[in-house]
Amino acid sequence: MGRVTRRAFTVAALSTVAVTPGATAAPQPPGASAGARGGRTTTEMRGMWLATVANRDWPSRTGLSVARQRGELTALLDAAVRRRLNTVVFQVRPTADALWPSPYEPWSQFLTGTQGKDPGWDPLGTAVEEAHARGLRLHAWFNPYRVALHDDPSRLAASHPARRHPGWVVAYGGALYYNPGLPEVRAFVQEAMLDAVRRYPVDGVHFDDYFYPYPVAGRTFDDGAAYARHGSGFADRAAWRRDNVDRLVRETAAGIARIRPGTQFGISPFGVWRNASADSRGSDTKAGAQSYDDLYADTRTWVRKGWIDYIVPQLYWNIGLSAADYAKLVPWWAEVARGSRTRLYLGEALYKAGDASGGKAWRDPDELSRHLTLAKKYPQVRGHVFFAAKEVAADPAGAMARVVADHYRQPARPPR
């Protein structure tokens, strides 16, 4: 399970270098004006990720009754309203599977415990309906290429596309991935994801930081045959891989615009594009992972060229951290977004709040509130998204309550 947690990747990347009860926002229709006192309207992204992979946030375990699953889901939506958030980013395709009745991929194992087993209801359809009823926007969160958290294809459902097309799949680091270098893979994953956009009035489509997998020491991602077949004309394999990811981003954006115009498309990448030591345009960081070089995700270009509607870099580090200082990364991203059509939101590590293993800064429940205070100095920052829903609801360290008290005293509508 460690490989799928954001905590694990944040640590790995750097190692190689009060809400009062009942004080809730009144429900609003999606995108409606939620004005502050005196008629002034506050507009900013206030979001939370709701992760389903490995039952991280929901459902709490596999095999629950339909009523229990629904109840847990709506409780998390209620928590978002209680914290005066306005957007939920709901993970609906965690491992090349589906949380809706997809004709392309099997039902997710994280619902029933068995991949392909019908859970007896439609989680995505319900989430959209219930979120909108509460005045929340619902962004459907997809992972494009991750197939399984293990490397045994025989454990996949018999109908799984990865079993019907074994040549699409690469085993790497104890997991299975679709090969981003195959045009037929890119076409398939887009069709599978866009099925949800056709079926449901989602307000956004969201990718996280997983494109090519994070590097695993001593392992090679075996895409040599695909590179030999499709990589001519590129300076090297790295440039070809980046082009593969660029194509996915551009083609997905075009598909969304064609199927449901006005639906937002956003990505939440690893928070460091490149260190300045590798590229003079990079950030003043010493991160051991760089999205451009290790995940082949040229996130800076996506923003500068306006290929996506919004970006949420995962800035899961405290103010003053030497390897990746939040206070240095915010102005770097603000400058990247300056003059672009791509809106900048910041990904916040609520899950670290109160964690003794995270160092002195994260033991202070005011750390996240200080993040929002700092970000207000940069007009390009249009809001924040918190990882993740379980901590938004339970708030064991009181950090979310401090954010609400200091910054979210009134409801807000998300940027259009």
Side-chain angles (χ1 to χ4, degrees):
M1 226 172 91
R3 82 167 56 86
V4 300
T5 64
R6 298 198 177 192
R7 179 193 308 269
F9 280 127
T10 301
V11 171
L14 295 178
S15 64
T16 57
V17 275
V19 179
T20 56
T24 62
Q28 303 272 347
S33 172
R37 289 190 180 97
R40 185 179 64 188
T41 299
T42 300
T43 301
E44 65 177 334
M45 168 61 77
R46 298 178 183 175
M48 74 177 187
W49 282 286
L50 201 168
T52 60
V53 65
N55 301 99
R56 198 274 175 199
D57 293 319
W58 177 87
S60 59
R61 59 182 174 83
T62 61
L64 298 177
S65 68
V66 171
R68 177 74 180 275
Q69 288 186 8
R70 280 179 179 267
E72 288 187 355
L73 179 60
T74 55
L76 291 173
L77 299 178
D78 288 339
V81 174
R82 190 167 65 250
R83 303 296 185 187
R84 299 197 181 96
L85 306 182
N86 54 35
T87 302
V88 174
V89 183
F90 182 38
Q91 190 176 31
V92 299
R93 187 179 181 267
T95 52
D97 50 15
L99 271 75
W100 75 96
S102 168
Y104 298 96
E105 295 178 308
W107 282 105
S108 176
Q109 69 188 51
F110 303 121
L111 296 170
T112 64
T114 302
Q115 189 174 66
K117 183 177 178 180
D118 189 335
W121 67 301
D122 180 355
L124 175 54
T126 300
V128 172
E129 181 179 351
E130 294 288 348
H132 287 175
R134 289 162 172 77
L136 298 166
R137 289 188 177 177
L138 195 289
H139 291 212
W141 167 14
F142 305 89
N143 188 283
Y145 293 126
R146 184 171 58 207
V147 173
L149 306 180
H150 58 77
D151 59 6
D152 182 1
S154 69
R155 292 172 56 187
L156 301 173
S159 63
H160 200 292
R163 294 189 68 173
R164 298 200 308 270
H165 303 279
W168 289 4
V169 181
V170 178
Y172 177 76
L176 296 174
Y177 301 90
Y178 282 132
N179 187 343
L182 296 177
E184 57 269 35
V185 163
R186 291 198 302 274
F188 171 77
V189 300
Q190 288 173 55
E191 192 65 20
M193 294 184 294
L194 291 173
D195 177 68
V197 181
R198 289 188 184 92
R199 289 170 179 257
Y200 306 100
V202 296
D203 302 294
V205 170
H206 187 93
F207 293 168
D208 59 16
D209 50 321
Y210 294 85
F211 294 97
Y212 281 85
Y214 280 82
V216 177
R219 304 290 182 89
T220 299
F221 188 82
D222 186 9
D223 58 356
Y227 179 50
R229 191 157 65 248
H230 302 291
S232 62
F234 292 91
D236 53 30
R237 192 178 303 196
W240 170 72
R241 286 177 172 176
R242 277 188 290 275
D243 183 71
N244 294 332
V245 178
D246 286 351
R247 287 173 183 266
L248 174 75
V249 170
R250 294 197 307 269
E251 291 166 3
T252 300
I256 295 166
R258 182 178 66 252
I259 293 168
R260 194 174 291 278
T263 300
Q264 300 292 296
F265 179 35
I267 298 177
S268 59
F270 181 71
V272 175
W273 173 69
R274 301 190 88 186
N275 297 320
S277 59
D279 190 317
S280 61
R281 299 169 298 172
S283 52
D284 182 12
T285 49
K286 300 180 179 65
Q290 303 168 91
S291 66
Y292 181 91
D293 300 279
D294 297 304
L295 307 177
Y296 306 97
D298 189 359
T299 55
R300 182 180 182 276
T301 291
W302 305 344
V303 174
R304 298 302 302 163
K305 293 191 175 182
W307 292 349
I308 55 179
D309 296 303
Y310 69 86
I311 194 162
V312 195
Q314 296 174 25
L315 303 190
Y316 290 170
W317 306 293
N318 58 275
I319 296 171
L321 184 68
S322 59
D325 186 346
Y326 184 92
K328 292 181 177 178
L329 281 162
V330 172
W332 186 88
W333 279 104
E335 186 59 32
V336 169
R338 185 190 303 274
S340 167
R341 65 170 290 272
T342 301
R343 292 185 297 278
L344 172 63
Y345 314 136
L346 304 181
E348 302 289 349
L350 176 62
Y351 72 93
K352 286 187 174 181
D355 181 5
S357 68
K360 180 180 178 181
W362 290 110
R363 291 196 292 272
D364 184 348
D366 287 340
E367 174 69 22
L368 279 186
S369 181
R370 284 194 286 268
H371 287 197
L372 273 67
T373 298
L374 185 154
K376 284 180 179 177
K377 299 177 183 177
Y378 302 92
Q380 292 81 14
V381 178
R382 305 286 298 280
H384 304 259
V385 184
F386 298 90
F387 193 82
K390 184 166 60 178
E391 288 78 14
V392 167
D395 196 23
M400 194 69 210
R402 176 54 58 194
V403 166
V404 176
D406 292 348
H407 304 281
Y408 293 169
R409 294 190 178 188
Q410 297 297 327
R413 65 182 182 189
R416 288 189 173 274

